[in-house]
Amino acid sequence: MDHQQAQDEFSDYVDGTLAQAARAELEQHLAVCIQCRTELAKFRQTLGSLGRLKQTAPPTLLTDVKQQIYRRSRGRFFAPRWKLFGRIPFEWISLATIIAMLVYYLAILHGSPTGVRPAP
Amino acid sequence: MSLAERLLIGRLRDRDPSAFEEIVRRYGDKVFNLVYRMLGNRHEAEDITQEVFITVFKTVDTFRGEAKFTTWLLRIAANQSKNRIKYLARRPTDSGDVEEAGGPAPGVAATPGPIAHGQIDGPDILLEAAELESLMQKAIASLDEEHRLLVILRDVEELSYQEIGEITGLPEGTIKSRLHRARMAIKEELDRNTK
């Protein structure tokens, strides 16, 4: 195993997902290679530093989002759904339209023509 | 998805303001951290975090509960961050809107960085921590957005490969190989900047 092959295994090794045989081979290499041991230590240090990168959201986040929603929806977003001019029930309107079209279609299909007599 | 999560989503669908507040309180830091690490700019991150939650509230009716709510939320955050990166890249360069990587914007108090131990440290330790965070942020920013996202999801947000797959739509093998390249690139970048 050379340095490149060893370092290609670092992620799987650190994540604990390296197969048993590959792990043993890498550990054998690490035991005799100070360069790869140093690189592995730096690699672990990098992951440790990444894991400590935490930023908290601004304390005004909740208020800011609420204001944006109220402003964009003109206060209707949190209005009760049954309220007049509250939230428009698009799903019910769509369903009613489809049913109306279906009824109309069936009426045309099965309705008997009136006032038209077949030619003799 | 847990029962508590289902009930919370149900209340959100009914436009319950307390559910809305609970969602922002519970996931605000997680979303902000992801977006901030993607963009490296606090002002932009604040805008995008707001947009993420607004999108969630607007589209919660389309959430079918096949994935965890956090996965769905972070997918929205990741997509909006990538869109903003593309938008900022297309925009004419304006040096005024890019802050020093890792540092807080003017007038914004520094939040706990890499040494958040719950105790007060000396100024030299704080400075060292701020410098390290700045270096880390620069190293993350040196990656393209796809590799950046993988490192943030795995090593900053500490998600599983399965969750990362659900967020990015990538197979596990691709995630692992790209993540390794990204980690090595960050290590090299840190090496270069600390010599």
Side-chain angles (χ1 to χ4, degrees), chain A residues 11 14-15 43 46-54, chain B residues 33 136 140 147-159 161 164 179-180 182-184 186:
Chain A
S11 273
V14 170
D15 283 343
F43 187 78
T46 302
L47 299 195
S49 299
L50 283 167
R52 288 192 294 274
L53 287 177
K54 303 294 177 204
Chain B
N33 200 33
M136 293 303 295
I140 292 172
H147 287 82
R148 203 183 303 177
L149 178 63
L150 294 179
V151 162
I152 294 168
L153 292 175
R154 178 68 184 172
D155 295 327
V156 180
E157 300 282 353
E158 297 172 346
L159 300 184
Y161 285 114
I164 297 172
L179 179 66
H180 181 68
R183 285 167 164 178
M184 292 300 276
I186 289 179

mmCIF file of all heavy atoms in Angstrom, chain A residues 11 14-15 43 46-54, chain B residues 33 136 140 147-159 161 164 179-180 182-184 186:
data_model
loop_
_atom_site.group_PDB
_atom_site.id
_atom_site.type_symbol
_atom_site.label_atom_id
_atom_site.label_comp_id
_atom_site.label_asym_id
_atom_site.label_seq_id
_atom_site.Cartn_x
_atom_site.Cartn_y
_atom_site.Cartn_z
ATOM 1 N N SER A 11 -11.456 8.522 4.870
ATOM 2 C CA SER A 11 -12.858 8.817 5.210
ATOM 3 C C SER A 11 -13.571 7.571 5.728
ATOM 4 O O SER A 11 -14.227 7.614 6.775
ATOM 5 C CB SER A 11 -13.615 9.367 3.997
ATOM 6 O OG SER A 11 -13.440 10.760 3.925
ATOM 7 N N VAL A 14 -12.165 6.610 9.209
ATOM 8 C CA VAL A 14 -12.648 7.473 10.303
ATOM 9 C C VAL A 14 -14.144 7.257 10.538
ATOM 10 O O VAL A 14 -14.605 7.274 11.679
ATOM 11 C CB VAL A 14 -12.331 8.956 9.981
ATOM 12 C CG1 VAL A 14 -13.018 9.889 10.948
ATOM 13 C CG2 VAL A 14 -10.828 9.188 10.010
ATOM 14 N N ASP A 15 -14.910 7.038 9.450
ATOM 15 C CA ASP A 15 -16.360 6.807 9.598
ATOM 16 C C ASP A 15 -16.675 5.410 10.124
ATOM 17 O O ASP A 15 -17.826 5.117 10.453
ATOM 18 C CB ASP A 15 -17.067 6.978 8.238
ATOM 19 C CG ASP A 15 -17.227 8.441 7.866
ATOM 20 O OD1 ASP A 15 -17.096 9.290 8.752
ATOM 21 O OD2 ASP A 15 -17.481 8.724 6.678
ATOM 22 N N PHE A 43 -6.233 15.045 9.278
ATOM 23 C CA PHE A 43 -7.560 14.751 8.738
ATOM 24 C C PHE A 43 -8.596 14.706 9.866
ATOM 25 O O PHE A 43 -9.652 15.322 9.781
ATOM 26 C CB PHE A 43 -7.498 13.401 7.999
ATOM 27 C CG PHE A 43 -8.750 13.043 7.245
ATOM 28 C CD1 PHE A 43 -9.031 13.625 6.015
ATOM 29 C CD2 PHE A 43 -9.643 12.115 7.747
ATOM 30 C CE1 PHE A 43 -10.175 13.288 5.309
ATOM 31 C CE2 PHE A 43 -10.789 11.776 7.060
ATOM 32 C CZ PHE A 43 -11.052 12.359 5.831
ATOM 33 N N THR A 46 -9.244 18.159 11.171
ATOM 34 C CA THR A 46 -10.111 18.925 10.254
ATOM 35 C C THR A 46 -11.576 18.577 10.505
ATOM 36 O O THR A 46 -12.428 19.462 10.629
ATOM 37 C CB THR A 46 -9.763 18.601 8.781
ATOM 38 O OG1 THR A 46 -8.398 18.907 8.571
ATOM 39 C CG2 THR A 46 -10.620 19.380 7.810
ATOM 40 N N LEU A 47 -11.865 17.281 10.617
ATOM 41 C CA LEU A 47 -13.255 16.861 10.839
ATOM 42 C C LEU A 47 -13.756 17.352 12.195
ATOM 43 O O LEU A 47 -14.910 17.773 12.328
ATOM 44 C CB LEU A 47 -13.389 15.336 10.768
ATOM 45 C CG LEU A 47 -13.019 14.657 9.447
ATOM 46 C CD1 LEU A 47 -13.543 13.232 9.411
ATOM 47 C CD2 LEU A 47 -13.554 15.413 8.246
ATOM 48 N N GLY A 48 -12.860 17.327 13.199
ATOM 49 C CA GLY A 48 -13.228 17.818 14.528
ATOM 50 C C GLY A 48 -13.587 19.294 14.485
ATOM 51 O O GLY A 48 -14.587 19.727 15.079
ATOM 52 N N SER A 49 -12.785 20.067 13.753
ATOM 53 C CA SER A 49 -13.039 21.513 13.650
ATOM 54 C C SER A 49 -14.351 21.775 12.902
ATOM 55 O O SER A 49 -15.111 22.678 13.260
ATOM 56 C CB SER A 49 -11.898 22.218 12.915
ATOM 57 O OG SER A 49 -10.709 22.032 13.622
ATOM 58 N N LEU A 50 -14.617 20.967 11.860
ATOM 59 C CA LEU A 50 -15.878 21.142 11.120
ATOM 60 C C LEU A 50 -17.068 20.873 12.032
ATOM 61 O O LEU A 50 -18.063 21.593 12.000
ATOM 62 C CB LEU A 50 -15.922 20.178 9.926
ATOM 63 C CG LEU A 50 -15.090 20.555 8.705
ATOM 64 C CD1 LEU A 50 -14.986 19.378 7.743
ATOM 65 C CD2 LEU A 50 -15.678 21.759 7.982
ATOM 66 N N GLY A 51 -16.949 19.862 12.875
ATOM 67 C CA GLY A 51 -18.040 19.491 13.774
ATOM 68 C C GLY A 51 -18.346 20.543 14.821
ATOM 69 O O GLY A 51 -19.429 20.546 15.402
ATOM 70 N N ARG A 52 -17.376 21.428 15.046
ATOM 71 C CA ARG A 52 -17.611 22.474 16.062
ATOM 72 C C ARG A 52 -18.084 23.794 15.453
ATOM 73 O O ARG A 52 -18.216 24.783 16.163
ATOM 74 C CB ARG A 52 -16.335 22.685 16.880
ATOM 75 C CG ARG A 52 -16.046 21.527 17.840
ATOM 76 C CD ARG A 52 -14.960 21.878 18.827
ATOM 77 N NE ARG A 52 -13.674 22.076 18.182
ATOM 78 C CZ ARG A 52 -12.805 21.093 17.899
ATOM 79 N NH1 ARG A 52 -13.100 19.854 18.212
ATOM 80 N NH2 ARG A 52 -11.652 21.348 17.322
ATOM 81 N N LEU A 53 -18.307 23.802 14.148
ATOM 82 C CA LEU A 53 -18.772 25.042 13.504
ATOM 83 C C LEU A 53 -20.275 25.209 13.733
ATOM 84 O O LEU A 53 -21.084 24.615 13.034
ATOM 85 C CB LEU A 53 -18.503 24.990 11.992
ATOM 86 C CG LEU A 53 -17.064 25.140 11.538
ATOM 87 C CD1 LEU A 53 -16.982 24.993 10.031
ATOM 88 C CD2 LEU A 53 -16.486 26.478 11.947
ATOM 89 N N LYS A 54 -20.633 25.941 14.728
ATOM 90 C CA LYS A 54 -22.058 26.139 15.022
ATOM 91 C C LYS A 54 -22.361 27.637 15.045
ATOM 92 O O LYS A 54 -21.668 28.398 15.696
ATOM 93 C CB LYS A 54 -22.438 25.537 16.387
ATOM 94 C CG LYS A 54 -22.133 24.062 16.527
ATOM 95 C CD LYS A 54 -22.979 23.186 15.607
ATOM 96 C CE LYS A 54 -22.563 21.717 15.741
ATOM 97 N NZ LYS A 54 -22.876 20.904 14.572
ATOM 98 N N ASN B 33 -27.536 27.547 10.431
ATOM 99 C CA ASN B 33 -26.153 27.058 10.379
ATOM 100 C C ASN B 33 -25.820 26.514 8.994
ATOM 101 O O ASN B 33 -24.777 26.837 8.422
ATOM 102 C CB ASN B 33 -25.960 25.973 11.445
ATOM 103 C CG ASN B 33 -24.498 25.756 11.796
ATOM 104 O OD1 ASN B 33 -23.695 26.687 11.780
ATOM 105 N ND2 ASN B 33 -24.147 24.530 12.101
ATOM 106 N N MET B 136 -11.662 27.981 8.618
ATOM 107 C CA MET B 136 -12.534 26.866 8.228
ATOM 108 C C MET B 136 -13.554 27.333 7.192
ATOM 109 O O MET B 136 -13.822 26.652 6.209
ATOM 110 C CB MET B 136 -13.298 26.310 9.449
ATOM 111 C CG MET B 136 -12.461 25.626 10.501
ATOM 112 S SD MET B 136 -11.471 24.257 9.893
ATOM 113 C CE MET B 136 -12.719 23.105 9.401
ATOM 114 N N ILE B 140 -14.095 25.989 3.418
ATOM 115 C CA ILE B 140 -15.390 25.487 2.912
ATOM 116 C C ILE B 140 -15.769 26.251 1.640
ATOM 117 O O ILE B 140 -16.224 25.678 0.650
ATOM 118 C CB ILE B 140 -16.499 25.629 3.989
ATOM 119 C CG1 ILE B 140 -16.238 24.683 5.156
ATOM 120 C CG2 ILE B 140 -17.879 25.363 3.399
ATOM 121 C CD1 ILE B 140 -17.167 24.881 6.344
ATOM 122 N N HIS B 147 -19.911 19.959 -3.416
ATOM 123 C CA HIS B 147 -19.005 19.386 -2.407
ATOM 124 C C HIS B 147 -19.189 20.086 -1.067
ATOM 125 O O HIS B 147 -19.135 19.462 -0.008
ATOM 126 C CB HIS B 147 -17.552 19.496 -2.885
ATOM 127 C CG HIS B 147 -17.209 18.532 -3.981
ATOM 128 N ND1 HIS B 147 -17.503 18.777 -5.301
ATOM 129 C CD2 HIS B 147 -16.648 17.297 -3.955
ATOM 130 C CE1 HIS B 147 -17.113 17.739 -6.038
ATOM 131 N NE2 HIS B 147 -16.586 16.829 -5.249
ATOM 132 N N ARG B 148 -19.402 21.392 -1.127
ATOM 133 C CA ARG B 148 -19.618 22.182 0.088
ATOM 134 C C ARG B 148 -20.826 21.648 0.863
ATOM 135 O O ARG B 148 -20.787 21.452 2.069
ATOM 136 C CB ARG B 148 -19.880 23.643 -0.332
ATOM 137 C CG ARG B 148 -19.581 24.654 0.736
ATOM 138 C CD ARG B 148 -19.924 26.049 0.264
ATOM 139 N NE ARG B 148 -19.246 26.461 -0.962
ATOM 140 C CZ ARG B 148 -19.453 27.622 -1.572
ATOM 141 N NH1 ARG B 148 -20.314 28.495 -1.058
ATOM 142 N NH2 ARG B 148 -18.825 27.936 -2.675
ATOM 143 N N LEU B 149 -21.893 21.395 0.110
ATOM 144 C CA LEU B 149 -23.127 20.921 0.751
ATOM 145 C C LEU B 149 -22.900 19.579 1.458
ATOM 146 O O LEU B 149 -23.363 19.379 2.588
ATOM 147 C CB LEU B 149 -24.242 20.789 -0.300
ATOM 148 C CG LEU B 149 -25.571 20.252 0.215
ATOM 149 C CD1 LEU B 149 -26.187 21.185 1.251
ATOM 150 C CD2 LEU B 149 -26.564 20.056 -0.933
ATOM 151 N N LEU B 150 -22.156 18.682 0.793
ATOM 152 C CA LEU B 150 -21.938 17.361 1.395
ATOM 153 C C LEU B 150 -21.146 17.454 2.692
ATOM 154 O O LEU B 150 -21.482 16.803 3.684
ATOM 155 C CB LEU B 150 -21.215 16.444 0.396
ATOM 156 C CG LEU B 150 -22.015 16.072 -0.854
ATOM 157 C CD1 LEU B 150 -21.190 15.185 -1.770
ATOM 158 C CD2 LEU B 150 -23.309 15.362 -0.491
ATOM 159 N N VAL B 151 -20.094 18.282 2.694
ATOM 160 C CA VAL B 151 -19.291 18.440 3.914
ATOM 161 C C VAL B 151 -20.133 19.043 5.035
ATOM 162 O O VAL B 151 -20.064 18.604 6.195
ATOM 163 C CB VAL B 151 -18.060 19.341 3.627
ATOM 164 C CG1 VAL B 151 -17.471 19.875 4.913
ATOM 165 C CG2 VAL B 151 -17.000 18.557 2.896
ATOM 166 N N ILE B 152 -20.952 20.009 4.700
ATOM 167 C CA ILE B 152 -21.773 20.670 5.728
ATOM 168 C C ILE B 152 -22.801 19.688 6.293
ATOM 169 O O ILE B 152 -22.979 19.592 7.507
ATOM 170 C CB ILE B 152 -22.457 21.931 5.152
ATOM 171 C CG1 ILE B 152 -21.384 22.978 4.815
ATOM 172 C CG2 ILE B 152 -23.454 22.517 6.150
ATOM 173 C CD1 ILE B 152 -21.893 24.131 3.973
ATOM 174 N N LEU B 153 -23.456 18.934 5.391
ATOM 175 C CA LEU B 153 -24.481 17.996 5.874
ATOM 176 C C LEU B 153 -23.883 16.896 6.738
ATOM 177 O O LEU B 153 -24.435 16.524 7.765
ATOM 178 C CB LEU B 153 -25.227 17.378 4.686
ATOM 179 C CG LEU B 153 -26.123 18.321 3.879
ATOM 180 C CD1 LEU B 153 -26.705 17.602 2.662
ATOM 181 C CD2 LEU B 153 -27.244 18.896 4.733
ATOM 182 N N ARG B 154 -22.714 16.394 6.320
ATOM 183 C CA ARG B 154 -22.131 15.269 7.049
ATOM 184 C C ARG B 154 -21.332 15.725 8.287
ATOM 185 O O ARG B 154 -21.534 15.222 9.376
ATOM 186 C CB ARG B 154 -21.223 14.462 6.102
ATOM 187 C CG ARG B 154 -20.519 13.301 6.737
ATOM 188 C CD ARG B 154 -21.465 12.200 7.141
ATOM 189 N NE ARG B 154 -20.761 11.131 7.830
ATOM 190 C CZ ARG B 154 -21.345 10.113 8.427
ATOM 191 N NH1 ARG B 154 -22.655 10.014 8.423
ATOM 192 N NH2 ARG B 154 -20.643 9.197 9.023
ATOM 193 N N ASP B 155 -20.420 16.669 8.095
ATOM 194 C CA ASP B 155 -19.459 16.975 9.165
ATOM 195 C C ASP B 155 -19.875 18.140 10.053
ATOM 196 O O ASP B 155 -19.411 18.239 11.177
ATOM 197 C CB ASP B 155 -18.075 17.243 8.557
ATOM 198 C CG ASP B 155 -17.525 16.000 7.884
ATOM 199 O OD1 ASP B 155 -17.812 14.894 8.375
ATOM 200 O OD2 ASP B 155 -16.839 16.117 6.862
ATOM 201 N N VAL B 156 -20.722 19.025 9.551
ATOM 202 C CA VAL B 156 -21.193 20.141 10.394
ATOM 203 C C VAL B 156 -22.547 19.774 11.003
ATOM 204 O O VAL B 156 -22.738 19.847 12.207
ATOM 205 C CB VAL B 156 -21.269 21.461 9.587
ATOM 206 C CG1 VAL B 156 -21.751 22.599 10.471
ATOM 207 C CG2 VAL B 156 -19.914 21.807 8.973
ATOM 208 N N GLU B 157 -23.484 19.337 10.155
ATOM 209 C CA GLU B 157 -24.823 18.985 10.662
ATOM 210 C C GLU B 157 -24.901 17.551 11.195
ATOM 211 O O GLU B 157 -25.890 17.178 11.826
ATOM 212 C CB GLU B 157 -25.880 19.168 9.558
ATOM 213 C CG GLU B 157 -25.996 20.583 9.008
ATOM 214 C CD GLU B 157 -26.768 21.518 9.935
ATOM 215 O OE1 GLU B 157 -27.319 21.051 10.943
ATOM 216 O OE2 GLU B 157 -26.797 22.727 9.648
ATOM 217 N N GLU B 158 -23.885 16.759 10.870
ATOM 218 C CA GLU B 158 -23.761 15.384 11.381
ATOM 219 C C GLU B 158 -24.958 14.491 11.021
ATOM 220 O O GLU B 158 -25.506 13.780 11.865
ATOM 221 C CB GLU B 158 -23.515 15.396 12.899
ATOM 222 C CG GLU B 158 -22.202 16.080 13.231
ATOM 223 C CD GLU B 158 -21.965 16.322 14.708
ATOM 224 O OE1 GLU B 158 -22.925 16.211 15.493
ATOM 225 O OE2 GLU B 158 -20.829 16.634 15.069
ATOM 226 N N LEU B 159 -25.333 14.536 9.752
ATOM 227 C CA LEU B 159 -26.438 13.689 9.271
ATOM 228 C C LEU B 159 -25.882 12.341 8.789
ATOM 229 O O LEU B 159 -24.699 12.227 8.460
ATOM 230 C CB LEU B 159 -27.162 14.368 8.101
ATOM 231 C CG LEU B 159 -27.809 15.727 8.378
ATOM 232 C CD1 LEU B 159 -28.556 16.203 7.144
ATOM 233 C CD2 LEU B 159 -28.780 15.664 9.551
ATOM 234 N N TYR B 161 -25.623 9.052 6.123
ATOM 235 C CA TYR B 161 -25.529 8.989 4.665
ATOM 236 C C TYR B 161 -26.924 8.846 4.044
ATOM 237 O O TYR B 161 -27.186 9.360 2.968
ATOM 238 C CB TYR B 161 -24.623 7.838 4.230
ATOM 239 C CG TYR B 161 -23.156 8.143 4.445
ATOM 240 C CD1 TYR B 161 -22.385 7.442 5.367
ATOM 241 C CD2 TYR B 161 -22.545 9.167 3.729
ATOM 242 C CE1 TYR B 161 -21.052 7.740 5.568
ATOM 243 C CE2 TYR B 161 -21.200 9.478 3.916
ATOM 244 C CZ TYR B 161 -20.467 8.759 4.844
ATOM 245 O OH TYR B 161 -19.149 9.078 5.049
ATOM 246 N N ILE B 164 -28.508 12.238 3.977
ATOM 247 C CA ILE B 164 -27.853 13.062 2.952
ATOM 248 C C ILE B 164 -28.356 12.645 1.567
ATOM 249 O O ILE B 164 -28.609 13.491 0.704
ATOM 250 C CB ILE B 164 -26.315 12.953 3.059
ATOM 251 C CG1 ILE B 164 -25.843 13.505 4.410
ATOM 252 C CG2 ILE B 164 -25.634 13.699 1.915
ATOM 253 C CD1 ILE B 164 -24.381 13.283 4.712
ATOM 254 N N LEU B 179 -17.552 13.276 -0.827
ATOM 255 C CA LEU B 179 -17.283 13.773 0.523
ATOM 256 C C LEU B 179 -15.797 13.623 0.853
ATOM 257 O O LEU B 179 -15.194 14.534 1.433
ATOM 258 C CB LEU B 179 -18.135 13.003 1.536
ATOM 259 C CG LEU B 179 -17.938 13.386 2.996
ATOM 260 C CD1 LEU B 179 -18.412 14.816 3.255
ATOM 261 C CD2 LEU B 179 -18.699 12.432 3.918
ATOM 262 N N HIS B 180 -15.213 12.499 0.464
ATOM 263 C CA HIS B 180 -13.789 12.300 0.756
ATOM 264 C C HIS B 180 -12.942 13.353 0.034
ATOM 265 O O HIS B 180 -12.036 13.939 0.632
ATOM 266 C CB HIS B 180 -13.351 10.887 0.353
ATOM 267 C CG HIS B 180 -11.908 10.631 0.646
ATOM 268 N ND1 HIS B 180 -11.418 10.555 1.938
ATOM 269 C CD2 HIS B 180 -10.823 10.517 -0.163
ATOM 270 C CE1 HIS B 180 -10.114 10.372 1.902
ATOM 271 N NE2 HIS B 180 -9.729 10.344 0.634
ATOM 272 N N ALA B 182 -13.885 16.292 -0.849
ATOM 273 C CA ALA B 182 -14.142 17.592 -0.207
ATOM 274 C C ALA B 182 -13.370 17.711 1.108
ATOM 275 O O ALA B 182 -12.750 18.743 1.397
ATOM 276 C CB ALA B 182 -15.638 17.754 0.045
ATOM 277 N N ARG B 183 -13.375 16.649 1.899
ATOM 278 C CA ARG B 183 -12.651 16.674 3.176
ATOM 279 C C ARG B 183 -11.153 16.858 2.951
ATOM 280 O O ARG B 183 -10.500 17.626 3.663
ATOM 281 C CB ARG B 183 -12.884 15.356 3.918
ATOM 282 C CG ARG B 183 -14.258 15.223 4.562
ATOM 283 C CD ARG B 183 -14.492 13.798 4.991
ATOM 284 N NE ARG B 183 -15.584 13.640 5.934
ATOM 285 C CZ ARG B 183 -15.988 12.463 6.406
ATOM 286 N NH1 ARG B 183 -15.410 11.343 5.993
ATOM 287 N NH2 ARG B 183 -16.969 12.395 7.284
ATOM 288 N N MET B 184 -10.613 16.128 1.970
ATOM 289 C CA MET B 184 -9.175 16.239 1.690
ATOM 290 C C MET B 184 -8.845 17.652 1.197
ATOM 291 O O MET B 184 -7.808 18.216 1.554
ATOM 292 C CB MET B 184 -8.736 15.192 0.650
ATOM 293 C CG MET B 184 -8.802 13.763 1.138
ATOM 294 S SD MET B 184 -7.767 13.433 2.582
ATOM 295 C CE MET B 184 -6.177 13.127 1.839
ATOM 296 N N ILE B 186 -10.368 20.410 1.975
ATOM 297 C CA ILE B 186 -10.397 21.329 3.129
ATOM 298 C C ILE B 186 -9.117 21.166 3.950
ATOM 299 O O ILE B 186 -8.512 22.147 4.372
ATOM 300 C CB ILE B 186 -11.652 21.080 3.997
ATOM 301 C CG1 ILE B 186 -12.895 21.551 3.250
ATOM 302 C CG2 ILE B 186 -11.556 21.794 5.337
ATOM 303 C CD1 ILE B 186 -14.197 21.336 3.982
#
